Amino acid sequence: MDREEYQGWPNHATWMVHLHLTNTEWLIHTALGIVLEAPDLFEAADQLKEWVEGWIGNYLDECQEKTIDQTKTYSYLWQGAHSLLVDMVHVQLDGVNWERIAQVFRERT
């Protein structure tokens, strides 16, 4: 896992999450709302992380359900691929410096 500075951010994972959160107007406004409603930077970071994890988790669950619907079977191959993908996403998200992202969003206002 890359923990070294990347593009002026604490690491590649932090840069990548911020990049995606600022990719569409809806994501920018949603993330900004979460950060600005929190009482402090640490709570903002925790809430932002929780929201992103839930958002991605819901997407992965929907992908799993579509696979089951389309194949009419849910083989060990699909189960293994889904589990690996979920674990990889969580490992990457654990490396994100959520406080830095929250700080940048707060500075936008």
Side-chain angles (χ1 to χ4, degrees), residues 15-88:
W15 169 82
M16 182 177 52
V17 168
H18 180 265
L19 176 72
H20 287 281
L21 290 179
T22 57
N23 194 35
T24 65
E25 192 171 328
W26 179 82
L27 287 173
I28 291 169
H29 288 295
T30 303
L32 190 57
I34 290 167
V35 168
L36 293 178
E37 288 178 15
D40 59 46
L41 187 62
F42 298 109
E43 184 66 26
D46 287 343
Q47 289 179 15
L48 191 60
K49 178 182 181 186
E50 184 178 308
W51 173 71
V52 169
E53 287 177 338
W55 171 49
I56 292 173
N58 288 339
Y59 172 77
L60 292 174
D61 289 345
E62 286 181 28
C63 289
Q64 181 183 27
E65 289 172 15
K66 284 183 181 181
T67 300
I68 293 169
D69 290 345
Q70 290 173 358
T71 62
K72 303 297 181 204
T73 183
Y74 188 57
S75 69
Y76 289 114
L77 175 64
W78 288 114
Q79 184 178 5
H82 179 78
S83 295
L84 176 61
L85 183 58
V86 168
D87 287 347
M88 290 176 67

Coordinates of all heavy atoms in Angstrom, one line a residue, residues 15-88:
W15 N -5.5 11.1 -2.5 CA -5.6 11.8 -3.7 C -6.8 11.3 -4.6 O -7.6 12.0 -5.1 CB -4.3 11.8 -4.5 CG -4.4 12.3 -5.9 CD1 -4.4 13.6 -6.3 CD2 -4.6 11.5 -7.0 NE1 -4.5 13.7 -7.6 CE2 -4.6 12.4 -8.1 CE3 -4.7 10.2 -7.3 CZ2 -4.8 12.0 -9.4 CZ3 -4.8 9.7 -8.6 CH2 -4.9 10.6 -9.7
M16 N -6.8 9.9 -4.7 CA -7.8 9.3 -5.5 C -9.2 9.5 -5.0 O -10.1 9.8 -5.8 CB -7.5 7.8 -5.7 CG -8.4 7.1 -6.6 SD -8.0 5.3 -6.8 CE -7.9 4.8 -5.1
V17 N -9.4 9.3 -3.7 CA -10.7 9.5 -3.2 C -11.2 11.0 -3.4 O -12.3 11.2 -3.8 CB -10.8 9.1 -1.7 CG1 -12.1 9.6 -1.0 CG2 -10.7 7.6 -1.6
H18 N -10.3 11.9 -3.1 CA -10.7 13.3 -3.3 C -11.0 13.6 -4.7 O -11.9 14.3 -5.0 CB -9.5 14.3 -2.8 CG -9.9 15.7 -3.0 ND1 -9.5 16.4 -4.1 CD2 -10.6 16.6 -2.2 CE1 -9.9 17.6 -4.0 NE2 -10.6 17.8 -2.9
L19 N -10.2 13.1 -5.6 CA -10.4 13.2 -7.1 C -11.8 12.8 -7.4 O -12.6 13.5 -8.1 CB -9.4 12.4 -7.9 CG -9.6 12.5 -9.4 CD1 -9.2 13.8 -9.9 CD2 -8.7 11.4 -10.0
H20 N -12.2 11.6 -7.0 CA -13.6 11.1 -7.3 C -14.7 11.9 -6.6 O -15.8 12.1 -7.2 CB -13.6 9.6 -7.0 CG -12.9 8.8 -8.0 ND1 -13.4 8.5 -9.2 CD2 -11.6 8.3 -7.9 CE1 -12.5 7.8 -9.9 NE2 -11.4 7.7 -9.1
L21 N -14.4 12.3 -5.4 CA -15.5 13.1 -4.7 C -15.7 14.5 -5.3 O -16.7 15.1 -5.1 CB -15.1 13.2 -3.2 CG -15.2 12.0 -2.3 CD1 -14.8 12.3 -0.9 CD2 -16.6 11.4 -2.4
T22 N -14.7 14.9 -6.0 CA -14.9 16.2 -6.7 C -15.1 16.1 -8.2 O -15.0 17.1 -8.9 CB -13.6 17.1 -6.4 OG1 -12.5 16.4 -6.9 CG2 -13.5 17.4 -5.0
N23 N -15.5 14.9 -8.6 CA -15.7 14.6 -10.0 C -17.0 15.1 -10.6 O -17.2 15.4 -11.8 CB -15.5 13.2 -10.3 CG -15.3 12.9 -11.8 OD1 -14.7 13.6 -12.5 ND2 -15.8 11.7 -12.2
T24 N -18.1 15.1 -9.7 CA -19.4 15.5 -10.1 C -20.0 16.5 -9.1 O -19.6 16.5 -7.9 CB -20.4 14.3 -10.3 OG1 -20.6 13.7 -9.0 CG2 -19.8 13.3 -11.3
E25 N -20.9 17.3 -9.6 CA -21.5 18.3 -8.7 C -22.2 17.6 -7.6 O -22.2 18.1 -6.4 CB -22.5 19.1 -9.5 CG -22.9 20.4 -8.8 CD -23.7 21.3 -9.7 OE1 -23.4 21.4 -10.9 OE2 -24.6 22.0 -9.2
W26 N -22.9 16.5 -7.8 CA -23.7 15.9 -6.8 C -22.7 15.4 -5.7 O -23.0 15.6 -4.5 CB -24.5 14.7 -7.3 CG -25.2 13.9 -6.3 CD1 -26.4 14.3 -5.7 CD2 -24.8 12.8 -5.6 NE1 -26.8 13.4 -4.7 CE2 -25.8 12.4 -4.6 CE3 -23.7 12.0 -5.6 CZ2 -25.7 11.3 -3.8 CZ3 -23.6 10.9 -4.8 CH2 -24.6 10.6 -3.9
L27 N -21.6 14.8 -6.0 CA -20.7 14.3 -5.0 C -20.0 15.4 -4.3 O -19.9 15.3 -3.0 CB -19.6 13.4 -5.7 CG -20.0 12.0 -6.2 CD1 -18.9 11.4 -7.0 CD2 -20.4 11.2 -5.0
I28 N -19.7 16.5 -5.0 CA -19.1 17.6 -4.3 C -20.1 18.2 -3.2 O -19.7 18.4 -2.1 CB -18.7 18.8 -5.3 CG1 -17.6 18.3 -6.2 CG2 -18.4 20.1 -4.6 CD1 -17.3 19.2 -7.4
H29 N -21.3 18.4 -3.6 CA -22.3 19.0 -2.7 C -22.6 18.0 -1.5 O -22.8 18.5 -0.4 CB -23.6 19.4 -3.4 CG -23.4 20.6 -4.3 ND1 -23.1 21.8 -3.8 CD2 -23.5 20.7 -5.6 CE1 -23.0 22.7 -4.8 NE2 -23.2 22.0 -5.9
T30 N -22.7 16.7 -1.8 CA -22.9 15.8 -0.8 C -21.8 15.7 0.2 O -22.0 15.8 1.5 CB -23.2 14.4 -1.3 OG1 -24.3 14.4 -2.3 CG2 -23.5 13.4 -0.2
A31 N -20.6 15.6 -0.3 CA -19.4 15.6 0.6 C -19.3 16.9 1.4 O -19.0 16.9 2.6 CB -18.1 15.3 -0.2
L32 N -19.4 18.0 0.7 CA -19.3 19.3 1.4 C -20.4 19.4 2.5 O -20.1 19.9 3.6 CB -19.5 20.4 0.3 CG -19.2 21.8 0.8 CD1 -17.8 21.9 1.3 CD2 -19.4 22.8 -0.4
G33 N -21.6 19.0 2.2 CA -22.7 19.0 3.2 C -22.3 18.2 4.5 O -22.5 18.6 5.6
I34 N -21.8 17.0 4.2 CA -21.4 16.2 5.3 C -20.3 16.8 6.2 O -20.4 16.9 7.4 CB -20.9 14.8 4.8 CG1 -22.0 14.0 4.2 CG2 -20.1 14.0 5.9 CD1 -21.6 12.8 3.4
V35 N -19.3 17.4 5.5 CA -18.2 18.0 6.2 C -18.6 19.3 7.0 O -18.2 19.5 8.1 CB -17.0 18.3 5.2 CG1 -16.0 19.2 5.8 CG2 -16.4 17.0 4.7
L36 N -19.4 20.1 6.4 CA -19.8 21.3 7.0 C -20.8 21.2 8.1 O -20.8 22.0 9.0 CB -20.4 22.3 6.0 CG -19.3 22.8 4.9 CD1 -20.0 23.7 3.9 CD2 -18.2 23.5 5.6
E37 N -21.6 20.1 8.1 CA -22.5 19.9 9.2 C -21.9 19.3 10.4 O -22.5 19.3 11.5 CB -23.7 19.0 8.7 CG -24.6 19.7 7.7 CD -25.7 18.8 7.2 OE1 -25.9 17.7 7.8 OE2 -26.3 19.1 6.2
A38 N -20.7 18.7 10.3 CA -20.0 18.1 11.4 C -19.5 19.2 12.4 O -19.1 20.2 11.9 CB -18.9 17.2 10.9
P39 N -19.5 18.9 13.7 CA -19.0 19.9 14.6 C -17.5 20.2 14.6 O -17.1 21.3 15.0 CB -19.4 19.3 16.0 CG -19.5 17.8 15.8 CD -20.0 17.7 14.3
D40 N -16.7 19.3 14.1 CA -15.3 19.5 14.1 C -14.7 18.7 12.9 O -15.4 17.8 12.3 CB -14.6 19.2 15.4 CG -14.8 17.8 15.9 OD1 -14.6 16.9 15.1 OD2 -15.1 17.6 17.1
L41 N -13.4 18.9 12.7 CA -12.7 18.2 11.6 C -12.7 16.7 11.7 O -12.9 16.0 10.8 CB -11.3 18.8 11.5 CG -10.5 18.3 10.3 CD1 -11.2 18.8 9.0 CD2 -9.1 18.9 10.3
F42 N -12.5 16.2 13.0 CA -12.4 14.8 13.2 C -13.7 14.1 13.0 O -13.8 13.0 12.4 CB -11.8 14.5 14.6 CG -10.4 15.0 14.7 CD1 -10.2 16.1 15.5 CD2 -9.3 14.5 14.0 CE1 -8.9 16.6 15.7 CE2 -8.1 15.0 14.1 CZ -7.8 16.1 15.0
E43 N -14.8 14.7 13.4 CA -16.1 14.2 13.2 C -16.5 14.2 11.7 O -17.1 13.3 11.2 CB -17.2 14.9 14.0 CG -18.5 14.4 13.9 CD -18.7 13.0 14.5 OE1 -17.9 12.6 15.5 OE2 -19.6 12.2 14.1
A44 N -16.1 15.3 11.1 CA -16.3 15.4 9.6 C -15.6 14.3 8.9 O -16.2 13.7 8.0 CB -15.8 16.8 9.1
A45 N -14.4 14.0 9.3 CA -13.6 12.9 8.6 C -14.3 11.6 8.8 O -14.4 10.8 7.9 CB -12.2 12.9 9.2
D46 N -14.7 11.3 10.1 CA -15.4 10.0 10.4 C -16.7 9.9 9.6 O -17.0 8.8 9.0 CB -15.7 9.9 11.9 CG -14.5 9.7 12.7 OD1 -13.4 9.3 12.1 OD2 -14.5 9.9 13.9
Q47 N -17.5 11.0 9.5 CA -18.7 10.9 8.8 C -18.5 10.7 7.3 O -19.3 10.0 6.6 CB -19.6 12.1 9.1 CG -20.1 12.1 10.5 CD -20.9 13.4 10.8 OE1 -21.3 14.1 9.9 NE2 -21.2 13.6 12.1
L48 N -17.5 11.4 6.8 CA -17.2 11.3 5.4 C -16.8 9.9 5.0 O -17.2 9.3 4.0 CB -16.1 12.3 5.0 CG -15.8 12.5 3.5 CD1 -17.1 13.0 2.8 CD2 -14.7 13.5 3.3
K49 N -15.9 9.3 5.9 CA -15.5 7.9 5.6 C -16.6 7.0 5.7 O -16.8 6.1 4.8 CB -14.4 7.5 6.7 CG -13.9 6.1 6.6 CD -12.9 5.7 7.6 CE -12.5 4.3 7.4 NZ -11.6 3.8 8.5
E50 N -17.5 7.1 6.7 CA -18.6 6.2 6.8 C -19.6 6.3 5.6 O -20.1 5.3 5.1 CB -19.4 6.6 8.1 CG -20.6 5.7 8.4 CD -21.2 6.1 9.7 OE1 -20.5 6.3 10.8 OE2 -22.5 6.3 9.7
W51 N -19.8 7.6 5.1 CA -20.6 7.7 4.0 C -20.0 7.1 2.7 O -20.7 6.4 2.0 CB -20.9 9.2 3.7 CG -21.6 9.5 2.5 CD1 -22.9 9.2 2.2 CD2 -21.1 10.0 1.3 NE1 -23.3 9.5 0.9 CE2 -22.1 10.0 0.3 CE3 -19.8 10.5 0.9 CZ2 -22.0 10.5 -1.0 CZ3 -19.7 11.0 -0.4 CH2 -20.7 11.0 -1.3
V52 N -18.7 7.3 2.5 CA -18.1 6.7 1.3 C -18.1 5.2 1.4 O -18.4 4.5 0.4 CB -16.7 7.3 1.1 CG1 -15.9 6.5 0.1 CG2 -16.7 8.7 0.8
E53 N -17.8 4.7 2.5 CA -17.8 3.2 2.7 C -19.2 2.6 2.4 O -19.4 1.6 1.8 CB -17.3 2.8 4.1 CG -15.8 2.9 4.2 CD -15.3 2.6 5.6 OE1 -16.1 2.7 6.6 OE2 -14.1 2.3 5.7
G54 N -20.2 3.3 3.0 CA -21.6 2.9 2.7 C -22.0 3.0 1.3 O -22.7 2.1 0.7
W55 N -21.7 4.1 0.6 CA -22.0 4.3 -0.8 C -21.3 3.2 -1.6 O -22.0 2.6 -2.5 CB -21.5 5.7 -1.1 CG -21.5 6.1 -2.6 CD1 -22.6 5.9 -3.4 CD2 -20.5 6.7 -3.3 NE1 -22.2 6.5 -4.7 CE2 -20.9 6.9 -4.6 CE3 -19.2 7.1 -2.9 CZ2 -20.1 7.5 -5.6 CZ3 -18.4 7.7 -3.9 CH2 -18.9 7.9 -5.2
I56 N -20.1 3.0 -1.4 CA -19.4 1.9 -2.2 C -19.9 0.5 -1.9 O -20.1 -0.3 -2.8 CB -17.9 2.0 -2.0 CG1 -17.3 3.3 -2.6 CG2 -17.1 0.8 -2.6 CD1 -15.9 3.6 -2.3
G57 N -20.1 0.3 -0.6 CA -20.7 -1.0 -0.2 C -22.0 -1.3 -0.8 O -22.3 -2.4 -1.3
N58 N -22.9 -0.3 -0.9 CA -24.2 -0.5 -1.5 C -24.0 -0.8 -3.0 O -24.7 -1.6 -3.6 CB -25.1 0.8 -1.4 CG -25.6 1.0 0.0 OD1 -25.6 0.0 0.8 ND2 -25.9 2.2 0.4
Y59 N -23.1 -0.1 -3.7 CA -22.8 -0.3 -5.1 C -22.4 -1.8 -5.3 O -22.8 -2.5 -6.2 CB -21.8 0.7 -5.6 CG -21.4 0.3 -7.0 CD1 -22.2 0.6 -8.1 CD2 -20.2 -0.3 -7.3 CE1 -21.8 0.3 -9.4 CE2 -19.8 -0.6 -8.6 CZ -20.6 -0.3 -9.6 OH -20.3 -0.7 -10.9
L60 N -21.4 -2.2 -4.5 CA -20.9 -3.6 -4.6 C -22.0 -4.6 -4.4 O -22.0 -5.6 -5.0 CB -19.7 -3.8 -3.7 CG -18.5 -3.0 -4.1 CD1 -17.4 -3.2 -3.0 CD2 -17.9 -3.4 -5.4
D61 N -22.9 -4.3 -3.4 CA -24.0 -5.3 -3.1 C -24.9 -5.3 -4.3 O -25.4 -6.4 -4.7 CB -24.7 -4.8 -1.9 CG -24.0 -5.1 -0.6 OD1 -22.9 -5.8 -0.6 OD2 -24.4 -4.5 0.4
E62 N -25.2 -4.2 -5.0 CA -26.1 -4.2 -6.1 C -25.4 -4.9 -7.3 O -26.1 -5.7 -8.0 CB -26.3 -2.7 -6.6 CG -27.3 -2.0 -5.7 CD -27.6 -0.6 -6.1 OE1 -27.5 -0.3 -7.4 OE2 -28.0 0.2 -5.3
C63 N -24.1 -4.8 -7.4 CA -23.4 -5.6 -8.5 C -23.5 -7.1 -8.2 O -23.7 -7.9 -9.2 CB -21.9 -5.2 -8.5 SG -21.6 -3.5 -9.2
Q64 N -23.4 -7.4 -7.0 CA -23.5 -8.9 -6.6 C -24.9 -9.4 -6.9 O -25.1 -10.4 -7.5 CB -23.2 -9.0 -5.1 CG -23.3 -10.5 -4.6 CD -23.0 -10.5 -3.1 OE1 -23.3 -9.6 -2.4 NE2 -22.6 -11.7 -2.7
E65 N -25.9 -8.6 -6.6 CA -27.3 -9.0 -6.8 C -27.6 -9.1 -8.3 O -28.3 -10.0 -8.8 CB -28.3 -8.0 -6.2 CG -28.3 -8.0 -4.7 CD -29.1 -6.9 -4.0 OE1 -29.9 -6.3 -4.8 OE2 -29.0 -6.7 -2.8
K66 N -27.1 -8.2 -9.1 CA -27.3 -8.2 -10.6 C -26.6 -9.5 -11.2 O -27.1 -10.1 -12.1 CB -26.7 -7.0 -11.3 CG -27.6 -5.8 -11.1 CD -27.0 -4.6 -11.9 CE -27.9 -3.4 -11.7 NZ -27.5 -2.2 -12.4
T67 N -25.4 -9.8 -10.6 CA -24.7 -11.0 -11.1 C -25.6 -12.3 -10.8 O -25.7 -13.1 -11.6 CB -23.4 -11.2 -10.4 OG1 -22.6 -10.0 -10.7 CG2 -22.6 -12.4 -10.9
I68 N -26.2 -12.3 -9.6 CA -27.0 -13.4 -9.2 C -28.2 -13.5 -10.2 O -28.6 -14.5 -10.7 CB -27.5 -13.3 -7.8 CG1 -26.3 -13.5 -6.8 CG2 -28.5 -14.4 -7.5 CD1 -26.5 -13.2 -5.4
D69 N -28.9 -12.3 -10.4 CA -30.1 -12.3 -11.3 C -29.7 -12.7 -12.7 O -30.5 -13.4 -13.3 CB -30.7 -10.9 -11.3 CG -31.3 -10.5 -9.9 OD1 -31.6 -11.4 -9.1 OD2 -31.6 -9.3 -9.7
Q70 N -28.6 -12.2 -13.2 CA -28.3 -12.5 -14.6 C -27.8 -13.9 -14.8 O -28.1 -14.5 -15.9 CB -27.2 -11.5 -15.1 CG -27.7 -10.1 -15.2 CD -26.5 -9.1 -15.5 OE1 -25.4 -9.5 -15.6 NE2 -26.9 -7.9 -15.7
T71 N -27.2 -14.5 -13.9 CA -26.6 -15.9 -14.1 C -27.6 -17.0 -13.5 O -27.4 -18.1 -13.8 CB -25.2 -16.0 -13.4 OG1 -25.4 -15.8 -12.0 CG2 -24.2 -15.1 -14.0
K72 N -28.5 -16.5 -12.7 CA -29.5 -17.5 -12.0 C -28.7 -18.4 -11.1 O -29.3 -19.4 -10.6 CB -30.3 -18.2 -13.0 CG -31.1 -17.4 -13.9 CD -32.1 -16.5 -13.2 CE -32.9 -15.7 -14.1 NZ -33.5 -14.5 -13.5
T73 N -27.5 -18.2 -10.9 CA -26.7 -19.0 -9.9 C -25.6 -18.1 -9.4 O -25.2 -17.1 -10.0 CB -26.1 -20.2 -10.6 OG1 -25.4 -21.0 -9.6 CG2 -25.1 -19.8 -11.7
Y74 N -25.2 -18.4 -8.2 CA -24.1 -17.6 -7.6 C -23.0 -18.6 -7.2 O -23.0 -19.2 -6.1 CB -24.7 -16.9 -6.4 CG -23.7 -15.9 -5.8 CD1 -23.2 -14.9 -6.6 CD2 -23.3 -15.9 -4.5 CE1 -22.3 -13.9 -6.0 CE2 -22.5 -15.0 -3.9 CZ -21.9 -14.0 -4.7 OH -21.1 -13.1 -4.2
S75 N -22.1 -18.8 -8.1 CA -21.1 -19.8 -7.9 C -20.0 -19.3 -6.9 O -19.9 -18.1 -6.5 CB -20.4 -20.1 -9.2 OG -19.6 -18.9 -9.6
Y76 N -19.2 -20.2 -6.5 CA -18.1 -19.9 -5.6 C -17.1 -19.0 -6.3 O -16.5 -18.2 -5.6 CB -17.4 -21.2 -5.1 CG -18.2 -22.0 -4.2 CD1 -18.7 -23.3 -4.5 CD2 -18.5 -21.5 -2.9 CE1 -19.4 -24.0 -3.6 CE2 -19.3 -22.2 -2.0 CZ -19.7 -23.5 -2.4 OH -20.5 -24.2 -1.5
L77 N -17.0 -19.0 -7.6 CA -16.1 -18.1 -8.3 C -16.6 -16.7 -8.2 O -15.8 -15.8 -7.8 CB -16.1 -18.5 -9.8 CG -15.4 -17.6 -10.7 CD1 -13.9 -17.6 -10.4 CD2 -15.6 -18.0 -12.2
W78 N -17.9 -16.4 -8.3 CA -18.4 -15.0 -8.1 C -18.3 -14.6 -6.7 O -18.0 -13.5 -6.4 CB -19.9 -14.9 -8.6 CG -20.0 -15.0 -10.1 CD1 -20.6 -16.0 -10.8 CD2 -19.5 -14.0 -11.0 NE1 -20.5 -15.7 -12.2 CE2 -19.8 -14.5 -12.3 CE3 -18.8 -12.8 -10.9 CZ2 -19.5 -13.8 -13.5 CZ3 -18.4 -12.1 -12.1 CH2 -18.8 -12.6 -13.3
Q79 N -18.6 -15.5 -5.8 CA -18.5 -15.2 -4.4 C -17.1 -14.8 -4.0 O -16.9 -13.9 -3.3 CB -19.0 -16.4 -3.5 CG -19.0 -16.1 -2.0 CD -19.5 -17.3 -1.3 OE1 -19.8 -18.4 -1.8 NE2 -19.7 -17.1 0.0
G80 N -16.1 -15.6 -4.5 CA -14.7 -15.3 -4.2 C -14.3 -14.0 -4.8 O -13.6 -13.2 -4.1
A81 N -14.7 -13.7 -6.0 CA -14.4 -12.4 -6.7 C -15.0 -11.2 -5.9 O -14.3 -10.2 -5.7 CB -14.8 -12.4 -8.1
H82 N -16.2 -11.4 -5.5 CA -16.9 -10.3 -4.7 C -16.2 -10.1 -3.4 O -15.9 -8.9 -3.0 CB -18.4 -10.7 -4.5 CG -19.1 -9.6 -3.8 ND1 -19.5 -8.4 -4.3 CD2 -19.5 -9.5 -2.4 CE1 -20.1 -7.7 -3.4 NE2 -20.1 -8.3 -2.3
S83 N -15.9 -11.1 -2.7 CA -15.2 -11.0 -1.4 C -13.8 -10.4 -1.5 O -13.5 -9.5 -0.7 CB -15.1 -12.4 -0.7 OG -16.3 -12.9 -0.4
L84 N -13.1 -10.7 -2.6 CA -11.8 -10.1 -2.8 C -11.9 -8.7 -3.1 O -11.2 -7.8 -2.5 CB -11.1 -10.9 -3.9 CG -9.7 -10.3 -4.4 CD1 -8.7 -10.3 -3.2 CD2 -9.2 -11.0 -5.6
L85 N -12.9 -8.3 -3.9 CA -13.0 -6.9 -4.3 C -13.4 -6.1 -3.1 O -12.9 -5.0 -2.8 CB -14.1 -6.8 -5.4 CG -14.4 -5.4 -5.9 CD1 -13.1 -4.8 -6.5 CD2 -15.5 -5.4 -7.0
V86 N -14.3 -6.6 -2.3 CA -14.8 -5.9 -1.1 C -13.6 -5.7 -0.1 O -13.3 -4.6 0.4 CB -15.9 -6.6 -0.3 CG1 -16.2 -6.0 1.0 CG2 -17.2 -6.5 -1.2
D87 N -12.8 -6.7 0.1 CA -11.6 -6.6 1.0 C -10.6 -5.6 0.4 O -10.0 -4.8 1.2 CB -11.0 -8.0 1.2 CG -11.8 -8.9 2.0 OD1 -12.7 -8.4 2.7 OD2 -11.5 -10.1 2.0
M88 N -10.4 -5.6 -0.9 CA -9.4 -4.7 -1.5 C -9.9 -3.3 -1.3 O -9.1 -2.4 -1.0 CB -9.2 -5.1 -2.9 CG -8.4 -6.4 -3.1 SD -8.2 -6.8 -4.9 CE -7.2 -5.5 -5.4

